[in-house]
Amino acid sequence: MELRIRLVFAILLCTPQVSLLAQENNPQKSVYSIDFNNFKSSFRQEIGFSFISHFARSPIVAEYNLVSSGVSYPQPVYNNVFGVFALTYEPKFRLIEAGSSFSLSLDLPLTGGFSVVDLTTPDGVSYSSEEVTPNDISTGVFSKERSSNLGLMNAEFGALISFNFFQGSTIENINALGLTFSGGVNYISAPLAMNFIDEYQRSDYKGFLNWTSVVGRLGVHAGRVVFYYTIGINPTRALYYTALGNERTVYTNTYNRFSISFRLGR
Amino acid sequence: MNSLKNILLGVLSSVLLTSCVKEVTLTLFELPDLVQSFVRKVECFDQESAALIATDEGVLLLFADKKDQVIYDADLFPELNLINWEESEVLYSSATETFWVIQDSVFMNLDRSKSLTVHEDQTQFNISTSSYFDYTLSNDGELYRIGFYKEIWAGSSSGFTTDLYIGIYRFIGNQNNTWQEFQTEMIVKSDFQTDPNSIFMPSGELLILTNPQFVVSIISQTNTEFTLLGKAGSGFSYETIYSPYISSTGASYGFDKVPDINSPIQNLIVTQINENEVQSIALENACDYPEQTQGVARMIDQKEEVARMYLPSFSSNSLGYLLSYDVSSGSCDVLSLEPNSILNNSSSIQDLDVMDNTVYIGTRNGLFVYDLQTRTISSYINELLDYYL
C-alpha cells in the first residue's frame, strides 16, 4: 500500500518536469500543467447527491466481550453509518492535461449527510463505552450495551487523485461520455449530533467517532451529469467467533456510496 | 486503442481493490469467572513464573504469560472437592511444569494439558513417627517424602530419648504401592523430633533441615550417602526449618514454626550450610513492625539473601505489609499494601502471594491483583479483560 502511495507521489512530482520537457522538445504543446494565470480552465466544480445509497463502517474501534460458559468471544465493534441523504460539493483542480481527452486532477469532495450512526457489533448489539465495574462482572455483566442509536448525521472530507478520460477531462473536450478513476483518502466524522434524548456524550466516545478510509472511485460522465461509485479499498476482514464457537467474518473499514453529481459552470 | 486502455485500467483497479484487504482475527479466550468465588489458596512460584489459585468453583493455573492460563472447573473435575485447600500443600516442578497438590493421603497432579490425576495413599508408615514428614520435589520433578521409618531406644546413657531413623520415599504412585522406600542411617534424637523439612539443592543433593542437618548426595537402596552437619549457636535449639530456601552463597533460612494467618510467627532461622552457627532472628526487632500487626503470616518468596514475607494488619484501612528481610546484611524494608474502594481492609483476605511485580490476593469475594509498581488494586477478571480487550 505504502509503495503505491509513493508511486502516485512520484508521478505527481515528475509530471511538471515532463510537461516542461514536452514544451522544450515539442513546439506543438500537448501536455499542460495547472496554469494559475488561466485558472478557470484548470478548475471544475460539482455538486452531488445520494439517497439511501451511502454506507460506511469504521475500522474496529473496540471489542464487545461476549461471555458464555467461561469463555470470552470478543466481537468486533465498529462505527456504522447508514446514509439517508447526502450532499457533496466537490472542487476539482486539473493538475495535468494531456491533449484534450485526458487529465489528472486533485478532487476535494466535501460531504454533509443525514445518516443514522451507531457503534455496533455484526449482530447489531449497540456497544456502550461505559466502564464495566467489578460489581458488573460479579453479576455476569462483561460489556455494556446501549438501547438506542448513538446519533445522527455525518461529515466527510476527501482528497482524491483522479485520472479523467474524454468528457469532463478538459474544458474543451466535446465527447458525449467520459470516465474518471480516482484514489485517495476520505476523512469521516460521525455522528455530528449525539443522541441527546438518551444523553450520550461525545466525550465518552472519544476516538470512536472519526476515522479515515482509503477509497477508490469510478465516475461515468454524461454531459453535465456524473455518476459516481465510491468504494473503500483498504477494508479489514475480521474473523471472530460466535457464542457457539462458530467462525464468522465481517468486513470493516468499508465505504460504499453511489452518487449523482452535476457540473457547475463550464 | 482507447478501449484497450480502459480495459487495462479496469483490470488494474480490480487488482488494487482485492489486494488491499487486511485480515484481523479476534481470538476467543477463557475467562476464569471461578476466580470471583471464595478463594481458598494462592500459591505463586515466583522464580518458576507459575501460580495456582484454588477457589470454591475450581482451580486456575497461571504461567508466565497472562494468556497462558489453565482452568480446572470443579463441575468438570469433581475430584477437586477431595481437597481441603487450607490444609493442603502445593509444590511445583518447572522441569515437568506440573503442580502437586497434597492433602492428607490425596495426591493430585495438575498441568497444562488440563488432565487431573488423583492418587490416594494407603501406605502404613511407622505408627509412632508417621505424623512427622515432609514432601519435596527433586530438580527433575520427582516427588519425595522425607520421614522416619524406625525408632529405637538410644540406650541407658541417653535416658528416655530415642533415635529416629530418616527414611526417604520416592513417589511411584502405583495402585498397590505409592512409595519406593530408601532406608538410611541418618539419625535425629527424639529431643529434636519434628517434621524433617528438606529441599533439593541446585547441585541435586538433598538438604534435610533437621537438627543436625544432612546433605544427601546419593539416594540408593543399598547405601545412601550423606554428610552430617552439626549445628550450634543461639538458634541451636531449633528443631527444623519450615519454608526452607538456600541462596547461591549457601545461606539457608526459613521459619521455626509453620506460619499461618491465624497464628503468625516471629522468628527467622538462618544458617550457613557449611557452618555450625544457627541464628534465630526476631523479625519484630529487626524490622520495626508497623502498628496493629502481630507477626508474619507466610513466606511470600525468597530470592538469594532476601526473604519476603506477609505481615497482616488488624487496622480497618490496611491490607497489610510486605516485609523484605536481607539475611546477609540484616536490613529490613516494610512496604504497605494500600487499600482502595474495591478492597479496603484485610479482613476478607484468605491468602496472598507474589509473582513478578503482582500480589495475588485471594479473598472471600474473589481474586484481586495488586500492582507493586503502580500500587493499585483491581479485580483479576478486570485486569484480564483490560489485557485482552
Side-chain angles (χ1 to χ4, degrees), chain A residues 10-21:
Chain A
I11 290 165
L12 283 175
L13 288 170
C14 292
T15 41
Q17 291 164 22
V18 171
S19 169
L20 287 173
L21 282 172

Side-chain angles (χ1 to χ4, degrees), chain A:
Chain A
M1 191 63 215
E2 197 180 336
L3 183 67
R4 283 186 205 116
I5 292 167
R6 282 182 185 176
L7 271 172
V8 168
F9 275 102
I11 290 165
L12 283 175
L13 288 170
C14 292
T15 41
Q17 291 164 22
V18 171
S19 169
L20 287 173
L21 282 172
Q23 286 176 41
E24 282 168 11
N25 298 336
N26 184 6
Q28 296 297 311
K29 191 169 114 178
S30 63
V31 178
Y32 304 85
S33 57
I34 188 166
D35 182 358
F36 291 100
N37 293 324
N38 192 16
F39 183 68
K40 279 187 176 176
S41 67
S42 300
F43 180 68
R44 173 188 166 111
Q45 50 188 336
E46 293 171 359
I47 190 136
F49 308 89
S50 60
F51 180 66
I52 318 181
S53 57
H54 180 198
F55 314 100
R57 280 181 190 166
S58 73
I60 296 172
V61 291
E63 289 174 18
Y64 177 83
N65 193 30
L66 179 64
V67 176
S68 175
S69 303
V71 178
S72 173
Y73 303 89
Q75 308 286 296
V77 173
Y78 43 81
N79 198 333
N80 206 19
V81 178
F82 179 86
V84 179
F85 177 79
L87 180 65
T88 300
Y89 168 72
E90 182 172 347
K92 300 160 84 87
F93 305 91
R94 294 188 190 103
L95 303 176
I96 299 162
E97 294 178 32
S100 61
S101 298
F102 172 77
S103 67
L104 187 142
S105 64
L106 171 65
D107 305 347
L108 302 173
L110 184 63
T111 303
F114 180 80
S115 53
V116 180
V117 182
D118 202 6
L119 282 170
T120 64
T121 69
D123 291 331
V125 175
S126 294
Y127 173 83
S128 170
S129 64
E130 192 185 340
E131 190 187 356
V132 179
T133 65
N135 280 345
D136 292 326
I137 290 171
S138 64
T139 55
V141 176
F142 293 93
S143 271
K144 294 291 182 70
E145 293 174 25
R146 280 176 289 104
S147 56
S148 54
N149 288 320
L150 191 61
L152 297 172
M153 297 194 285
N154 67 293
E156 296 174 21
F157 176 72
L160 308 172
I161 294 293
S162 295
F163 297 91
N164 309 294
F165 301 92
F166 312 116
Q167 166 59 245
S169 61
T170 61
I171 197 165
E172 63 268 23
N173 187 280
I174 53 167
N175 287 102
L177 295 172
L179 274 176
T180 294
F181 298 98
S182 311
V185 292
N186 194 39
Y187 175 80
I188 302 169
S189 181
L192 296 180
M194 298 294 284
N195 182 338
F196 60 88
I197 296 169
D198 289 307
E199 299 179 343
Y200 299 145
Q201 300 296 317
R202 181 169 288 274
S203 56
D204 294 337
Y205 291 89
K206 208 175 171 183
F208 296 168
L209 310 180
N210 308 295
W211 70 96
T212 303
S213 289
V214 182
V215 294
R217 186 171 71 171
L218 171 67
V220 177
H221 298 248
R224 298 180 73 94
V225 184
V226 192
F227 300 93
Y228 283 121
Y229 178 64
T230 312
I231 186 170
I233 57 171
N234 191 29
T236 302
R237 183 172 177 267
L239 191 148
Y240 66 102
Y241 296 87
T242 66
L244 296 173
N246 298 324
E247 212 176 89
R248 290 249 185 97
T249 55
V250 66
Y251 282 90
T252 66
N253 196 16
T254 60
Y255 187 92
N256 286 281
R257 184 184 179 200
F258 176 75
S259 60
I260 300 172
S261 288
F262 299 92
R263 189 180 76 214
L264 299 176
R266 289 191 67 194

Side-chain angles (χ1 to χ4, degrees), chain B residues 111-178:
Chain B
D111 59 24
R112 286 175 187 275
S113 68
K114 217 172 180 176
S115 65
L116 182 68
T117 56
V118 183
H119 180 84
E120 209 151 349
D121 186 10
Q122 308 288 340
T123 309
Q124 294 293 320
F125 290 98
N126 183 311
I127 193 79
S128 62
T129 57
S130 62
S131 60
Y132 299 100
F133 58 88
D134 180 49
Y135 295 108
T136 188
L137 286 175
S138 69
N139 297 340
D140 54 3
E142 285 191 306
L143 180 70
Y144 283 85
R145 175 187 166 117
I146 316 299
F148 300 101
Y149 69 93
K150 187 168 70 175
E151 183 177 21
I152 294 177
W153 182 44
S156 56
S157 61
S158 304
F160 292 104
T161 59
T162 55
D163 288 339
L164 306 170
Y165 285 75
I166 291 176
I168 300 172
Y169 302 83
R170 189 171 67 87
F171 185 88
I172 47 178
N174 292 340
Q175 276 192 332
N176 302 325
N177 199 359
T178 304

